[in-house]
Amino acid sequence: MSVAVIGMIAGMALGFAGYFGGFGAFLLVAALGAVGFVVGRFLEGDLDPGEFFRPRDDRRR
């Protein structure tokens, strides 16, 4: 499945949540989608947990 199709599906899910559930449901679906994205990246091996704990400036002293 291409990234465009996945983005379209995510947008449709957010649209339905916003229309039928209101703004709170929209935010809940968006937050859960972001969590699912990060978990999926971990499971695929594209994201390393150490990337969240590294300092912003990669300078080593």
Side-chain angles (χ1 to χ4, degrees):
M1 201 179 308
S2 72
V3 176
V5 173
I6 293 172
M8 180 188 68
I9 291 170
M12 289 174 61
L14 288 172
F16 280 122
Y19 182 77
F20 291 112
F23 188 68
F26 173 83
L27 290 178
L28 178 65
V29 170
L32 291 176
V35 169
F37 175 76
V38 170
V39 169
R41 297 291 293 231
F42 276 128
L43 293 177
E44 287 181 355
D46 293 337
L47 192 61
D48 184 32
E51 292 181 18
F52 289 110
F53 303 112
R54 243 181 254 151
R56 286 184 152 236
D57 60 346
D58 269 332
R59 291 183 290 171
R60 309 257 173 166
R61 293 183 182 170

